[in-house]
Amino acid sequence: MTIVRTIGLALVTASALVLSMTAASAHDPETAEGQAAAKTFMADHVPAERHAVTGTAAGVPCVNGKADIYPCKNVDLLSVLPLSGLGGGNGNDIWGWTDPSSGKEYAIVGRTNGTAFVDLSTPTSPKFLGNLPSNGGSSSWRDMKVYKNHAFIVADFISGHGMQVFDLTRLRTVTTPQTFTADALYKEFGPAHNIAINEETGFAYAIGSNTCSGGPHVVDIQNPKAPAKAGCVSQDGYTHDTQCVVYRGPDVAYRGKEICFNANEDTLTIVDVTDKARPVQISRKGYSGAQYSHQGWLTDDQRYFLLDDELDESRGTDKRTKTYVWDLAKLSAPVHTGVYSSPATAIDHNQYIKGRYSYQANYQAGLRILDVSGVASAQLSEVGYFDIYPAGNAANFNGAWSTYPYFSSGIVIVNGIEQGLVVVKPTLATAGR
């Protein structure tokens, strides 16, 4: 996605850049290419509609397909904390942190103008603790991940933003909302579209930056407040999103190595990044129906990969939300085995897998939960949903941007472009668990 700051959400897909542009400069607002990309997507996309949050009810069960004003299935509403209670702006990405000393759960909520921190100890009454302002301007694309009790935050289309580092343990003593400052700032890149972290190795991967041809910019964050550049993955140009893991899947040739699974605009590109100075591209595979490879996630056994394509609904004849299933039995030859088509017609955005379920944030269709236990035969099934955007269900950029399903309490948090923080709890025991 690329931004003209005065338009905010108008260009939510500007990461789908014209192929003639160089990947490194495509998101850089100080280049002619970056400015041309903004104009291109201004012509292609109308601004997202604004809808006021008309319900902030707490603790409403999903009954007969509704929880308060929200359509639902097997997901109860706990609370909504509107953007007005989070520091304003529009919502974008989201992540979570559990304090190891207390077990308290916190939401880290991205917005166009900064990052909000929210105490979820009472999920029916979330408490806003404060805001870390954006470094140098507003951006529709802000992304964050967590390692060693620190949040690492990037933003796209802000030329000097870099990577903010924030010590989350500071939240333990906050009693009234604060305006925070970063504990460290990494400046080896300016804008970056996204960030991934391999918590097992202590390396961050900033992607879609103005360095490394737009591919993963690798940062050693083992000492969180002193991040250091560790390498570049530039062989396949611009990467939109990635998941990097210590590989324990079925391909014995790569077990124990650090592998990144990259959504690279029109391909799934798999890279061995064990040696950060000399990454090795293992494979690069396209697929039928590709319009813009956006993001994906591995199943827990690392055998399968579920991939989102952000533009196939709006550009294709079949408008149903689609999830592309990959068999990774051999990393050098990934196989696209099938497509799950949702009954909804919204755009898919981000998904994360936990156990047998994939938690998808699908814009106007909201949170959608898929049972992936039949993934070996490319058979997925929807077992729950919570639609935070009741006004529509079309292939437009409103509603659920991202979700975080990894809290031990079982709550799931969703960040809505217009809605803010939505806290829900799936009841999947009633869905054939």
Side-chain angles (χ1 to χ4, degrees), residues 64-117:
N64 297 325
K66 279 285 188 74
D68 192 45
I69 63 170
Y70 304 101
C72 60
K73 175 184 176 181
N74 292 326
V75 183
D76 294 335
L77 171 65
L78 298 184
S79 57
V80 178
L81 184 55
L83 289 159
S84 59
L86 290 165
N90 296 323
N92 42 53
D93 225 301
I94 194 166
W95 206 246
W97 174 61
T98 300
D99 187 340
S101 68
S102 66
K104 271 190 175 185
E105 295 173 342
Y106 296 83
I108 307 167
V109 186
R111 301 168 357 271
T112 50
N113 56 354
T115 304
F117 303 95

Side-chain angles (χ1 to χ4, degrees), residues 89-430:
N90 296 323
N92 42 53
D93 225 301
I94 194 166
W95 206 246
W97 174 61
T98 300
D99 187 340
S101 68
S102 66
K104 271 190 175 185
E105 295 173 342
Y106 296 83
I108 307 167
V109 186
R111 301 168 357 271
T112 50
N113 56 354
T115 304
F117 303 95
V118 180
D119 183 346
L120 299 172
S121 299
T122 305
T124 53
S125 183
K127 182 179 180 182
F128 173 59
L129 299 180
N131 178 53
L132 175 63
S134 178
N135 183 37
S138 180
S139 173
S140 287
W141 301 275
R142 191 172 308 282
D143 197 75
M144 66 291 300
K145 297 295 184 296
V146 169
Y147 173 72
K148 281 188 177 178
N149 302 321
H150 288 72
F152 298 82
I153 303 162
V154 300
D156 204 352
F157 221 73
I158 300 175
S159 59
H161 189 280
M163 180 178 71
Q164 296 172 305
V165 182
F166 179 78
D167 187 341
L168 294 163
T169 64
R170 295 166 60 185
L171 302 178
R172 292 170 176 165
T173 58
V174 175
T175 56
T176 57
Q178 309 287 309
T179 298
F180 297 109
T181 56
D183 292 279
L185 181 64
Y186 178 81
K187 298 181 179 180
E188 293 294 322
F189 57 81
H193 190 73
N194 224 319
I195 186 170
I197 292 177
N198 185 350
E199 294 182 46
E200 191 169 355
T201 61
F203 285 92
Y205 298 84
I207 42 191
S209 78
N210 59 337
T211 63
C212 303
S213 298
H217 178 122
V218 190
V219 187
D220 184 342
I221 57 171
Q222 294 171 66
N223 181 351
K225 291 185 178 69
K229 186 176 180 180
C232 269
V233 183
S234 55
Q235 297 96 319
D236 192 30
Y238 184 85
T239 296
H240 186 272
D241 210 331
T242 189
Q243 183 185 11
C244 300
V245 301
V246 175
Y247 181 71
R248 296 184 177 87
D251 192 339
V252 295
Y254 294 97
R255 282 185 189 160
K257 295 182 180 294
E258 188 165 6
I259 307 296
C260 288
F261 299 84
N262 299 337
N264 269 36
E265 299 189 297
D266 57 357
T267 63
L268 169 61
T269 300
I270 303 175
V271 183
D272 182 346
V273 294
T274 307
D275 184 343
K276 307 299 182 288
R278 286 175 285 276
V280 178
Q281 184 170 295
I282 300 170
S283 58
R284 180 183 185 275
K285 190 70 177 291
Y287 55 97
S288 175
Q291 292 294 331
Y292 196 77
S293 306
H294 179 269
Q295 185 261 3
W297 210 252
L298 293 164
T299 54
D300 285 356
D301 62 2
Q302 299 182 353
R303 170 69 185 264
Y304 302 97
F305 189 78
L306 302 187
L307 179 69
D308 302 319
D309 189 302
E310 192 177 28
L311 299 181
D312 56 351
E313 291 85 15
S314 59
R315 292 180 177 175
T317 55
D318 181 355
K319 301 300 182 183
R320 293 174 297 171
T321 310
K322 289 173 281 296
T323 302
Y324 295 82
V325 181
W326 293 81
D327 187 339
L328 306 182
K330 192 172 183 181
L331 297 188
S332 60
V335 178
H336 172 218
T337 58
V339 179
Y340 165 76
S341 293
S342 167
T345 55
I347 297 168
D348 45 346
H349 196 219
N350 290 335
Q351 67 176 315
Y352 298 100
I353 295 173
K354 179 183 179 183
R356 67 182 282 184
Y357 300 112
S358 177
Y359 298 80
Q360 301 185 333
N362 289 351
Y363 282 121
Q364 285 198 8
L367 170 69
R368 317 298 287 201
I369 304 175
L370 304 185
D371 186 333
V372 303
S373 57
V375 68
S377 54
Q379 300 297 312
L380 312 179
S381 60
E382 186 175 87
V383 294
Y385 62 82
F386 194 91
D387 186 353
I388 72 170
Y389 190 82
N393 193 19
N396 294 318
F397 299 102
N398 311 92
W401 182 289
S402 198
T403 182
Y404 179 84
Y406 296 114
F407 290 125
S408 61
S409 66
I411 67 172
V412 174
I413 51 177
V414 182
N415 197 3
I417 296 170
E418 301 89 0
Q419 298 76 18
L421 174 64
V422 182
V423 186
V424 298
K425 189 162 188 178
T427 55
L428 295 177
T430 62

